[in-house]
Amino acid sequence: ESFDEECDYLFKAVLIGDSAVGKSNLLSRFAKNEFCLESKPTIGVEFAYRNIRVGDKLIKAQIWDTAGQERFRAITSSYYRGALGALLVYDITRKSTFESLKKWLKEVREFGSRELVVVLVGNKSDLAQYREVNLEDGRSLAQLEDLSFMETSAKENLNVEEAFLQMITRIYQLS
Ligand code: GDP
């Protein structure tokens, strides 16, 4: 879809999760179909757009990336303001990023809107040989917290589209 096409809805969604879990690469994969092996050095909020057709409606999703702010615990309520969805990301090869999810969920509930749609994402599924978090652990947590869940690989472009679309479709259904 072209950037300038008239859209029916504009949704804001945010990416959250520990540093280096792959948030930026998930976003660039979804928005531009690009992947980058370097961790980006930039600091500051960034966002990207993508237009998605759901039924006969054209939705413009504006997706925000923390761009490194989580390293300084500097994510504030303004990051969440107006967001209708969040992709909560951990890295399946680093257990600590899974253990942080409790903290992230607490923050989401504190700063996010009440109807915020959260999709839990275990990224780097291409690195299964280094796995520290089982698929079942992700599934159980999602079930417990009533979230959608999937494992993705931004590198191999596995399930990335599905994760974002799941979030966006759900937002649309609730709106
Ligand atoms: P962020 O800090 O959460 O935004 O993480 P980045 O997107 O900057 O990614 C951190 C590092 O993990 C970079 O070196 C990426 O190339 C790498 N990375 C991100 N996603 C994947 C993935 O799905 N598979 C693999 N193997 N590496 C990934």
Side-chain angles (χ1 to χ4, degrees), residues 83-132:
L84 298 178
L87 225 58
L88 173 55
V89 187
Y90 66 95
D91 174 348
I92 67 153
T93 72
R94 276 192 299 142
K95 184 139 200 153
S96 62
T97 67
F98 186 77
E99 286 161 351
S100 294
L101 293 173
K102 231 179 275 164
K103 180 203 82 182
W104 285 109
L105 283 165
K106 186 163 170 268
E107 186 173 298
V108 158
R109 284 176 185 139
E110 188 180 339
F111 292 134
S113 75
R114 206 146 33 90
E115 322 73 50
L116 192 82
V117 172
V118 181
V119 173
L120 180 64
V121 168
N123 190 41
K124 309 197 188 181
S125 63
D126 58 289
L127 296 178
Q129 70 272 34
Y130 303 112
R131 180 188 283 279
E132 289 183 0

Side-chain angles (χ1 to χ4, degrees), residues 15-120:
L15 282 154
I16 50 176
D18 283 2
S19 193
V21 294
K23 298 182 298 298
S24 297
N25 276 284
L26 286 165
L27 182 55
S28 59
R29 184 58 90 184
F30 181 65
K32 299 179 284 198
N33 201 19
E34 286 173 4
F35 179 81
C36 175
L37 272 174
E38 311 292 315
S39 237
K40 78 266 123 199
T42 49
I43 304 296
V45 169
E46 292 167 354
F47 56 82
Y49 287 103
R50 204 177 114 182
N51 291 350
I52 303 114
R53 198 165 276 290
V54 177
D56 62 342
K57 301 289 186 219
L58 188 63
I59 294 168
K60 179 174 284 194
Q62 181 194 54
I63 299 161
W64 292 51
D65 179 16
T66 60
Q69 287 184 102
E70 70 278 18
R71 270 178 281 170
F72 311 104
R73 309 213 158 218
I75 295 183
T76 55
S77 56
S78 63
Y79 183 66
Y80 291 94
R81 191 164 303 134
L84 298 178
L87 225 58
L88 173 55
V89 187
Y90 66 95
D91 174 348
I92 67 153
T93 72
R94 276 192 299 142
K95 184 139 200 153
S96 62
T97 67
F98 186 77
E99 286 161 351
S100 294
L101 293 173
K102 231 179 275 164
K103 180 203 82 182
W104 285 109
L105 283 165
K106 186 163 170 268
E107 186 173 298
V108 158
R109 284 176 185 139
E110 188 180 339
F111 292 134
S113 75
R114 206 146 33 90
E115 322 73 50
L116 192 82
V117 172
V118 181
V119 173
L120 180 64

